[in-house]
PDB file of all heavy atoms in Angstrom:
ATOM      1  N   SER A  11     -15.174  24.114  81.533  1.00 97.00           N
ATOM      2  CA  SER A  11     -13.843  23.909  82.109  1.00 97.00           C
ATOM      3  C   SER A  11     -13.768  24.548  83.482  1.00 97.00           C
ATOM      4  O   SER A  11     -14.646  25.306  83.885  1.00 97.00           O
ATOM      5  CB  SER A  11     -12.754  24.555  81.241  1.00 97.00           C
ATOM      6  OG  SER A  11     -12.771  24.057  79.938  1.00 97.00           O
ATOM      7  N   SER A  14      -9.635  21.326  88.741  1.00 90.00           N
ATOM      8  CA  SER A  14     -10.025  20.031  89.292  1.00 90.00           C
ATOM      9  C   SER A  14     -10.645  20.230  90.671  1.00 90.00           C
ATOM     10  O   SER A  14     -10.109  20.974  91.493  1.00 90.00           O
ATOM     11  CB  SER A  14      -8.773  19.161  89.378  1.00 90.00           C
ATOM     12  OG  SER A  14      -9.102  17.882  89.827  1.00 90.00           O
ATOM     13  N   VAL A  51     -17.425   4.265  79.269  1.00 93.00           N
ATOM     14  CA  VAL A  51     -18.489   4.991  79.983  1.00 93.00           C
ATOM     15  C   VAL A  51     -17.886   6.244  80.631  1.00 93.00           C
ATOM     16  O   VAL A  51     -18.231   7.369  80.273  1.00 93.00           O
ATOM     17  CB  VAL A  51     -19.167   4.098  81.047  1.00 93.00           C
ATOM     18  CG1 VAL A  51     -20.269   4.882  81.769  1.00 93.00           C
ATOM     19  CG2 VAL A  51     -19.741   2.840  80.400  1.00 93.00           C
ATOM     20  N   PHE A  61      -3.019   5.915  72.222  1.00 98.00           N
ATOM     21  CA  PHE A  61      -3.307   7.357  72.212  1.00 98.00           C
ATOM     22  C   PHE A  61      -2.460   8.026  71.129  1.00 98.00           C
ATOM     23  O   PHE A  61      -2.961   8.836  70.338  1.00 98.00           O
ATOM     24  CB  PHE A  61      -3.042   7.969  73.588  1.00 98.00           C
ATOM     25  CG  PHE A  61      -3.773   9.259  73.834  1.00 98.00           C
ATOM     26  CD1 PHE A  61      -4.921   9.297  74.606  1.00 98.00           C
ATOM     27  CD2 PHE A  61      -3.299  10.456  73.283  1.00 98.00           C
ATOM     28  CE1 PHE A  61      -5.597  10.500  74.825  1.00 98.00           C
ATOM     29  CE2 PHE A  61      -3.974  11.652  73.501  1.00 98.00           C
ATOM     30  CZ  PHE A  61      -5.119  11.673  74.277  1.00 98.00           C
ATOM     31  N   TRP A  73      -6.547  17.572  72.246  1.00 97.00           N
ATOM     32  CA  TRP A  73      -6.081  16.766  73.370  1.00 97.00           C
ATOM     33  C   TRP A  73      -5.072  17.582  74.157  1.00 97.00           C
ATOM     34  O   TRP A  73      -4.497  18.548  73.644  1.00 97.00           O
ATOM     35  CB  TRP A  73      -5.537  15.397  72.934  1.00 97.00           C
ATOM     36  CG  TRP A  73      -4.234  15.395  72.190  1.00 97.00           C
ATOM     37  CD1 TRP A  73      -4.081  15.386  70.839  1.00 97.00           C
ATOM     38  CD2 TRP A  73      -2.922  15.380  72.759  1.00 97.00           C
ATOM     39  NE1 TRP A  73      -2.748  15.380  70.524  1.00 97.00           N
ATOM     40  CE2 TRP A  73      -2.015  15.382  71.681  1.00 97.00           C
ATOM     41  CE3 TRP A  73      -2.428  15.375  74.068  1.00 97.00           C
ATOM     42  CZ2 TRP A  73      -0.632  15.379  71.874  1.00 97.00           C
ATOM     43  CZ3 TRP A  73      -1.055  15.375  74.254  1.00 97.00           C
ATOM     44  CH2 TRP A  73      -0.172  15.370  73.157  1.00 97.00           C
ATOM     45  N   THR A  83     -10.567  14.698  73.232  1.00 98.00           N
ATOM     46  CA  THR A  83     -11.925  14.566  72.698  1.00 98.00           C
ATOM     47  C   THR A  83     -11.832  13.987  71.296  1.00 98.00           C
ATOM     48  O   THR A  83     -11.195  14.588  70.427  1.00 98.00           O
ATOM     49  CB  THR A  83     -12.603  15.959  72.593  1.00 98.00           C
ATOM     50  OG1 THR A  83     -12.490  16.623  73.858  1.00 98.00           O
ATOM     51  CG2 THR A  83     -14.049  15.833  72.187  1.00 98.00           C
ATOM     52  N   GLU A  87     -16.761  11.235  68.329  1.00 96.00           N
ATOM     53  CA  GLU A  87     -17.757  11.347  69.410  1.00 96.00           C
ATOM     54  C   GLU A  87     -18.612  12.597  69.208  1.00 96.00           C
ATOM     55  O   GLU A  87     -19.818  12.572  69.366  1.00 96.00           O
ATOM     56  CB  GLU A  87     -17.037  11.447  70.764  1.00 96.00           C
ATOM     57  CG  GLU A  87     -16.432  10.169  71.244  1.00 96.00           C
ATOM     58  CD  GLU A  87     -17.478   9.232  71.830  1.00 96.00           C
ATOM     59  OE1 GLU A  87     -18.206   9.634  72.739  1.00 96.00           O
ATOM     60  OE2 GLU A  87     -17.578   8.098  71.339  1.00 96.00           O
ATOM     61  N   ARG A 111     -11.758  26.120  70.779  1.00 95.00           N
ATOM     62  CA  ARG A 111     -12.161  27.390  70.160  1.00 95.00           C
ATOM     63  C   ARG A 111     -11.429  27.612  68.830  1.00 95.00           C
ATOM     64  O   ARG A 111     -12.010  28.139  67.887  1.00 95.00           O
ATOM     65  CB  ARG A 111     -11.880  28.560  71.093  1.00 95.00           C
ATOM     66  CG  ARG A 111     -12.095  29.873  70.395  1.00 95.00           C
ATOM     67  CD  ARG A 111     -11.954  31.060  71.277  1.00 95.00           C
ATOM     68  NE  ARG A 111     -13.174  31.314  72.022  1.00 95.00           N
ATOM     69  CZ  ARG A 111     -13.201  31.927  73.195  1.00 95.00           C
ATOM     70  NH1 ARG A 111     -12.081  32.306  73.761  1.00 95.00           N
ATOM     71  NH2 ARG A 111     -14.332  32.154  73.800  1.00 95.00           N
ATOM     72  N   LEU A 119     -17.606  28.792  75.412  1.00 98.00           N
ATOM     73  CA  LEU A 119     -16.696  28.362  76.482  1.00 98.00           C
ATOM     74  C   LEU A 119     -17.181  28.868  77.844  1.00 98.00           C
ATOM     75  O   LEU A 119     -17.283  30.074  78.063  1.00 98.00           O
ATOM     76  CB  LEU A 119     -15.278  28.885  76.197  1.00 98.00           C
ATOM     77  CG  LEU A 119     -14.368  27.980  75.354  1.00 98.00           C
ATOM     78  CD1 LEU A 119     -15.022  27.593  74.044  1.00 98.00           C
ATOM     79  CD2 LEU A 119     -13.028  28.645  75.103  1.00 98.00           C
ATOM     80  N   LEU A 130     -12.156  25.302  97.225  1.00 96.00           N
ATOM     81  CA  LEU A 130     -11.689  24.392  96.172  1.00 96.00           C
ATOM     82  C   LEU A 130     -10.878  23.259  96.794  1.00 96.00           C
ATOM     83  O   LEU A 130     -11.073  22.079  96.483  1.00 96.00           O
ATOM     84  CB  LEU A 130     -10.842  25.155  95.147  1.00 96.00           C
ATOM     85  CG  LEU A 130     -10.269  24.302  94.014  1.00 96.00           C
ATOM     86  CD1 LEU A 130     -11.387  23.752  93.125  1.00 96.00           C
ATOM     87  CD2 LEU A 130      -9.281  25.104  93.168  1.00 96.00           C
ATOM     88  N   SER A 144      -1.089  14.051  94.164  1.00 88.00           N
ATOM     89  CA  SER A 144      -2.014  14.417  93.094  1.00 88.00           C
ATOM     90  C   SER A 144      -2.836  15.649  93.498  1.00 88.00           C
ATOM     91  O   SER A 144      -3.098  16.530  92.673  1.00 88.00           O
ATOM     92  CB  SER A 144      -2.915  13.228  92.784  1.00 88.00           C
ATOM     93  OG  SER A 144      -3.895  13.606  91.865  1.00 88.00           O
ATOM     94  N   LEU A 156      -7.129  29.295  86.749  1.00 94.00           N
ATOM     95  CA  LEU A 156      -8.031  30.401  87.118  1.00 94.00           C
ATOM     96  C   LEU A 156      -7.651  31.688  86.387  1.00 94.00           C
ATOM     97  O   LEU A 156      -8.508  32.522  86.106  1.00 94.00           O
ATOM     98  CB  LEU A 156      -8.025  30.617  88.645  1.00 94.00           C
ATOM     99  CG  LEU A 156      -8.744  29.500  89.425  1.00 94.00           C
ATOM    100  CD1 LEU A 156      -8.409  29.575  90.916  1.00 94.00           C
ATOM    101  CD2 LEU A 156     -10.260  29.594  89.230  1.00 94.00           C
ATOM    102  N   GLY A 160     -10.680  34.618  82.154  1.00 95.00           N
ATOM    103  CA  GLY A 160     -11.054  35.784  81.355  1.00 95.00           C
ATOM    104  C   GLY A 160     -11.109  35.493  79.861  1.00 95.00           C
ATOM    105  O   GLY A 160     -11.716  36.248  79.106  1.00 95.00           O
ATOM    106  N   LEU A 171     -24.863  24.486  94.602  1.00 98.00           N
ATOM    107  CA  LEU A 171     -24.955  23.605  93.426  1.00 98.00           C
ATOM    108  C   LEU A 171     -26.217  23.852  92.601  1.00 98.00           C
ATOM    109  O   LEU A 171     -26.156  23.973  91.372  1.00 98.00           O
ATOM    110  CB  LEU A 171     -24.888  22.150  93.913  1.00 98.00           C
ATOM    111  CG  LEU A 171     -24.683  21.070  92.875  1.00 98.00           C
ATOM    112  CD1 LEU A 171     -23.447  21.314  92.043  1.00 98.00           C
ATOM    113  CD2 LEU A 171     -24.587  19.717  93.585  1.00 98.00           C
ATOM    114  N   GLU A 180     -29.347  28.114  82.090  1.00 97.00           N
ATOM    115  CA  GLU A 180     -29.790  29.339  81.428  1.00 97.00           C
ATOM    116  C   GLU A 180     -28.818  29.740  80.314  1.00 97.00           C
ATOM    117  O   GLU A 180     -29.224  30.166  79.240  1.00 97.00           O
ATOM    118  CB  GLU A 180     -29.878  30.443  82.480  1.00 97.00           C
ATOM    119  CG  GLU A 180     -30.848  31.531  82.114  1.00 97.00           C
ATOM    120  CD  GLU A 180     -30.889  32.586  83.225  1.00 97.00           C
ATOM    121  OE1 GLU A 180     -31.039  32.184  84.405  1.00 97.00           O
ATOM    122  OE2 GLU A 180     -30.730  33.770  82.900  1.00 97.00           O
ATOM    123  N   GLY A 190     -26.763  33.436  71.514  1.00 56.00           N
ATOM    124  CA  GLY A 190     -25.973  34.151  72.508  1.00 56.00           C
ATOM    125  C   GLY A 190     -25.812  35.620  72.185  1.00 56.00           C
ATOM    126  O   GLY A 190     -25.028  36.313  72.800  1.00 56.00           O
ATOM    127  N   ALA A 199     -37.271  42.175  73.374  1.00 40.00           N
ATOM    128  CA  ALA A 199     -37.880  42.914  74.475  1.00 40.00           C
ATOM    129  C   ALA A 199     -38.611  44.156  73.941  1.00 40.00           C
ATOM    130  O   ALA A 199     -39.623  44.565  74.484  1.00 40.00           O
ATOM    131  CB  ALA A 199     -36.808  43.325  75.479  1.00 40.00           C
TER     132      ALA A 199
END
Side-chain angles (χ1 to χ4, degrees):
S11 302
S14 183
V51 180
F61 202 102
W73 70 265
T83 308
E87 286 282 305
R111 172 175 278 153
L119 271 54
L130 179 66
S144 174
L156 288 166
L171 192 55
E180 205 179 310

